[in-house]
Each structure stands twice: as structure tokens, then as C-alpha cells.
Amino acid sequence: MVSTKKVMPAIVQFLQTQILHTLTMLSRKKVILAIVVPAVCVSLVAAVIYRGRSDGRAGQDSPTQAPASGSAGVNAAATHAGHEAEGNALDWCSEHRVPESQCTLCNPKLVEGFKARGDWCGGHSLPESQCRLCNPGLTFPQEIALEKEKTALGKVSVFFPKNKPECATDGAVIRLASVQTADRSGFTFEPAIETSTPASIEAPAEVVYDASKTVALTRPIPVSVTRWKVEPGAFVKPGQVIGEAISPGIAGLKAGYVECRIELTSAGKELSRKESLVPEGIVSKSDWVKVEAAVEAARTRLASARGLLISAGLSDEDVELAGNPDFVSSRMLLRAPCGGVLLERTAPLGQLIEPGTSLALISDQGSLWVEAQVGERDIARVRPGQKAEFASDGSLLGKTAGQVIWVSQFLNQTTRTATVRASVSTAGGRMRAGEYGRLSVNVEDKGLAVFVPKDAVQWEGCCNVVFVRETADVFRPRKVTIERGDSGHYRVTEGVQPGDMVVVNGSYLLKTELRKSSIGAGCCGLEAE
């Protein structure tokens, strides 16, 4: 490559000679030549200078020289550096999101080398090839490889949105005006703790009635409800009248029962009369036996007729009214078959209901079931006896504990899911049958995990962050990946280490600092490292 510094004196001397020669040629006939010759000379000079600058940039892009400034040069340098480390995903600093072997924040000794090569961003105190604030599209091959691994192995919960890969939070530091300002702000701190946590799977679920404690009021004959006497939600006792109905078939059953009673009474009297005549020889023994058999047959028919009335819904008390003149009618009372809460009245008034159709539901409202549809990938990990937790779509923060009591052995051919049933307690009265939500089942122990208080985690617009105290007046926002924890903590899979002191009370104030340039006049400032 020809050095520009060596060529420039020769070019200047050449130009001076051409200008003097042109002045001597200034005549009307040679004016065109006087104009063209200097123009050609200037073009040649510009080409030489451009050639020198291009060669200089090419030299800077070589591995032995500093990368060019600007996003194109930075991306080229990052790509070259990344290709050298491609396949070595372990060479990665997750805290500063650069290759570990090139991280100047972890290894300050590397700073002078980058500055010597001209690869340095003075505004953000980072190598230009690593500054994401100046170059938002900057990526490294290790970063792409790690993201692919997370996509293949990880599973995103619907409760926690994914953090944005690049934003202004990266490398930001919040510095208060003074230590006294930090004291007056009322911050409280808790360390990130490491403890064991059970893993869980989530699936869409619905609250249903506990079938083992729910009874449907039905009738084996067509009926039409004429009146309800109890409102849904009221507690009823066994045998309590909850409504009235009419049936075209109940009158015939009642009449048949009355006839059987009359027949048994008549047969009984005949048996008593002949029984007194047997000793006198007026009635033979065989005639007395026939009458006795007739009595037994009449008693059997009466028991059958009584059974039909009981199955039709009449109680023993109702049957005992058979002697009353108005007993044989189409009117009948609807009585509660068991004690509990009248959940719903399914039969509309005045409509003729087919036999076997539910008229009302009565259940123990203190016990409900949650039925979840678990995918075939996770169903093998679910077993009866595992702890579960239900969160309603209407109130995700209100969770109800329960236990898995049944796992279906068959998959739905359309949805490819299996039903998992959990028994939950409704002592608080928050749950209602028909609610939709999600069931979380603890399936296994993942071992040790890091937890932070829920109040320490803030959504700053694109990422979940916590604020780690570095000194009395300096706080660093950390992006965190969170999962479900216990009632007061989130499980953190990335972003903090055990023992890091995170801000709990006052974290919202620091979050506001990320969204604005400051909080109040001279309170604190946001800077980037």
C-alpha cells in the first residue's frame, strides 16, 4: 500500500507545475485545454487519496488492527471474534453479555489492549465492538447458541412474560445523590436465598362438582314442576320439601297402591275367618292354605306398589297418607334426597320433564373438584397424591391448594390431552363450579434454586428486573427470569446469585428511575457503564 503522507508532497508539486503551465497557455484558442488538464489532474489526485483511505480501512478491519467505528464495523468485529469462539458456548459472561475472554468489566486488564487497537467507546466505557447502546443490533455467536439451548430445553410459563434481549437496562447503574438520600428513601433489603423447590406443570382447568358428594334430584316418570320453594344456595335437610310438581303417571301408581292395600285387607279378613273354622271341620285344611297363599300374594303386590311410589319420589310419610280421600291425585312433592346445598334448579317451571332428567342438584359445597387437561408430554409425570394448586382466570393471585386424586388412563383423540382430577377445599368460598383457570401440579423436586421476594421484582416495560445494592448509594438493575415460587417469593432461574442484596421496599422508586432520567431534583441519576 502506498502511504498517503509520502505521496502528498509529490502531488502538490505536480499541481503547482500544472497551474503555471496553464497560465502560460491562457489564450482564446487553448482555453479548453487549460480547463481540461487541471480537471484531469484533480481526478487523478482524488483517486489516489481515496485508494489510500480504502487501504487504511482495510488494514483496520484486519485481526491485528482496531475495528472501524459505527455499527457496521462493530458488527464485523463482533462477527469475526465470535467465529473464533464459535462452538465454545462456555466462553460467555452472562452478567455483561459478552464473551468471557473479552469482558473488560470482569477483567480490567483487557482495557489497555482494546484502547491500543482503537476499539474503545469513551462515552460508555466499553469496547466499541461490545457497546450495545451504540449498536443495538450487536450479537455474538455464543449468545445465539445459548438462546437455542434455552428454546430447546426451557418452557415459558403463561404467567411470566419473556424479557427483551436488549434494552436500556443493560449495563445501567443508578447512583443516588448521597448516602443520606438513600437512607431517607426508606429502602429495605433482603438477600436472594437458595433453597430447594418442587417443579410443577401447568394446564388449563375447570371447577366441577364433587361427584362423590353431589346428588341429582330425578324422577322415573314424566313430571312438570309447578313451584320451587327453596332458592339455590340455601342449605336443605334430607326429606325437606323443595318444590311441587304434577305427573300424569303418579295418579295411576297411587291408585294401584290403594287397590293393593284393599286387597290385602280383604284377604287378611278371609284368612282369619277360615282359620277359626278349621278346628270345627267346616273348612278343610287345603282351603285354609289357599287363602293364606292369597294373603301372601296380596302383601307382595302391596310391597311392589309401595316401592314404585318411593322410587317415584314419594316419602314414607307421603305413602302413609294413602287413606286420605285426596291421596289419589297427580300432585306430588319434590323432597331433597340428601342434606347439603341446593346448587341449582335445572327444571324450568311448567315444562314436562322426561324420566331420568335432573331436576335439581344438591351437594356438599365445601368440596369441589378441579379437572385439568394435561398434555401427553407431561401426563406421565402426574400421579395421584401429588400436591396441586388452582388459580382462577378471574383472580390469578387467589390460589387454592388441593391434591391430585385421579389421572385418566386414556388420551382425548382430538386434543391429545388426559384429564387430571384434583380435590380442593372451598372453605374460603372463593371458588364456584364452572370457573376456568389453571392447575399447577408439583411433580418432582428440581433441587436447589434461588428465590427473591415478589415485591423486589418490577416489570420496567420490557423486562423483569431486581435492583441489587452494590454500595450504600449505588444500585444495579438486573434482568431476572422468574417462575412460580411460594406465596411470597419468585423462583429466579437467571439474573441473581445467592446472597445478592435486593431492594424490596423502594424497588418501584428505582424502577421509575429507569423509565425517567431522575426522581426529583438532584435525587439520583442514571448512568451506563
Side-chain angles (χ1 to χ4, degrees):
M1 182 187 71
V2 180
S3 175
T4 305
K5 293 181 179 180
K6 295 181 179 180
V7 173
M8 286 302 297
I11 294 175
V12 172
Q13 185 178 2
F14 176 76
L15 288 175
Q16 291 176 348
T17 304
Q18 291 298 322
I19 291 172
L20 293 175
H21 179 70
T22 302
L23 292 175
T24 61
M25 296 171 61
L26 286 177
S27 63
R28 184 170 301 178
K29 296 181 179 181
K30 298 182 179 180
V31 65
I32 297 176
L33 181 63
I35 296 174
V36 170
V37 171
V40 172
C41 294
V42 171
S43 300
L44 292 174
V45 171
V48 172
I49 295 175
Y50 177 79
R51 176 74 176 273
R53 290 182 178 177
S54 300
D55 293 342
R57 282 197 297 269
Q60 290 181 357
D61 288 341
S62 64
T64 59
Q65 300 203 19
S69 60
S71 60
V74 171
N75 284 328
T79 303
H80 173 77
H83 281 303
E84 293 181 351
E86 189 171 6
N88 184 14
L90 296 178
D91 183 23
W92 185 250
C93 177
S94 59
E95 181 178 358
H96 302 121
R97 299 177 58 219
V98 297
E100 184 71 30
S101 59
Q102 304 175 30
C103 183
T104 58
L105 297 177
C106 294
N107 189 3
K109 295 181 180 179
L110 300 175
V111 173
E112 294 301 326
F114 280 100
K115 288 184 177 180
R117 295 193 298 269
D119 182 10
W120 190 253
C121 176
H124 301 120
S125 299
L126 288 171
E128 186 72 26
S129 59
Q130 299 177 10
C131 184
R132 297 178 186 269
L133 296 178
C134 294
N135 307 281
L138 180 62
T139 57
F140 295 89
Q142 297 97 323
E143 192 173 11
I144 298 175
L146 290 173
E147 188 66 24
K148 290 181 179 178
E149 292 180 4
K150 292 179 183 178
T151 303
L153 300 177
K155 183 172 62 174
V156 179
S157 169
V158 296
F159 291 110
F160 307 112
K162 188 177 181 181
N163 293 335
K164 187 177 180 180
E166 300 172 4
C167 66
T169 302
D170 301 331
V173 175
I174 299 176
R175 188 183 302 275
L176 301 184
S178 64
V179 176
Q180 291 75 17
T181 301
D183 295 337
R184 291 194 300 267
S185 298
F187 295 139
T188 62
F189 310 92
E190 289 188 23
I193 58 175
E194 185 177 38
T195 183
S196 60
T197 176
S200 62
I201 61 173
E202 297 173 357
E206 179 184 5
V207 180
V208 297
Y209 298 121
D210 185 343
S212 64
K213 298 180 181 180
T214 302
V215 177
L217 176 63
T218 62
R219 290 293 180 263
I221 56 177
V223 297
S224 176
V225 180
T226 58
R227 178 186 178 190
W228 288 112
K229 293 187 175 182
V230 178
E231 294 296 326
F235 182 82
V236 296
K237 298 179 180 180
Q240 179 180 341
V241 177
I242 62 175
E244 297 178 357
I246 57 174
S247 172
I250 193 65
L253 295 178
K254 291 180 177 180
Y257 177 74
V258 172
E259 291 176 357
C260 290
R261 285 187 60 177
I262 295 173
E263 182 181 357
L264 179 59
T265 302
S266 175
K269 291 180 179 180
E270 180 67 16
L271 180 62
S272 299
R273 186 181 69 82
K274 290 190 175 183
E275 186 177 11
S276 63
L277 299 177
V278 170
E280 300 179 2
I282 300 176
V283 175
S284 65
K285 185 71 173 179
S286 61
D287 291 340
W288 179 83
V289 171
K290 290 180 181 180
V291 174
E292 186 179 35
V295 171
E296 291 299 325
R299 185 177 289 111
T300 301
R301 286 191 291 272
L302 180 62
S304 176
R306 179 185 180 89
L308 291 176
L309 290 177
I310 296 298
S311 65
L314 272 67
S315 65
D316 294 336
E317 181 182 357
D318 295 332
V319 175
E320 294 302 325
L321 299 177
N324 295 346
D326 58 348
F327 176 74
V328 180
S329 68
S330 61
R331 179 179 174 273
M332 61 184 303
L333 300 177
L334 300 177
R335 297 182 181 271
C338 65
V341 176
L342 179 63
L343 298 178
E344 60 177 328
R345 303 179 309 200
T346 56
L349 295 177
Q351 181 176 335
L352 187 63
I353 307 300
E354 295 295 325
T357 304
S358 174
L359 306 178
L361 290 177
I362 300 173
S363 178
D364 178 6
Q365 200 175 22
S367 178
L368 293 174
W369 284 347
V370 174
E371 290 188 349
Q373 304 302 318
V374 180
E376 58 182 324
R377 182 180 62 180
D378 296 323
I379 192 62
R381 305 166 61 193
V382 183
R383 298 182 302 274
Q386 292 173 333
K387 294 183 178 180
E389 191 176 56
F390 175 75
S392 170
D393 287 343
S395 177
L396 293 178
L397 298 180
K399 300 179 177 62
T400 305
Q403 187 178 39
V404 177
I405 59 174
W406 179 75
V407 180
S408 175
Q409 299 300 312
F410 302 95
L411 292 175
N412 184 293
Q413 296 301 313
T414 303
T415 63
R416 306 303 299 169
T417 59
T419 302
V420 173
R421 184 177 298 150
S423 176
V424 295
S425 174
T426 59
R430 295 192 304 266
M431 294 177 58
R432 297 289 185 272
E435 279 188 285
Y436 291 99
R438 298 191 69 83
L439 183 70
S440 175
V441 181
N442 296 336
V443 293
E444 62 184 9
D445 194 341
K446 282 187 177 179
L448 294 179
V450 180
F451 289 83
V452 297
K454 289 184 176 180
D455 290 341
V457 181
Q458 296 290 337
W459 176 258
E460 53 87 6
C462 62
C463 305
N464 286 302
V465 297
V466 298
F467 299 91
V468 178
R469 181 178 65 178
E470 294 190 346
T471 64
D473 58 346
V474 176
F475 304 89
R476 184 184 296 275
R478 297 267 189 87
K479 292 182 180 181
V480 290
T481 303
I482 57 177
E483 295 179 356
R484 181 189 300 276
D486 57 23
S487 58
H489 293 77
Y490 286 127
R491 182 176 184 270
V492 180
T493 59
E494 185 179 4
V496 295
Q497 299 297 324
D500 288 346
M501 297 299 296
V502 299
V503 181
V504 182
N505 292 337
S507 60
Y508 182 81
L509 182 70
L510 296 178
K511 183 197 79 168
T512 309
E513 175 62 20
L514 288 178
R515 305 296 299 273
K516 301 177 181 179
S517 59
S518 63
I519 306 175
C523 176
C524 55
L526 179 66
E527 60 186 54
E529 292 188 347

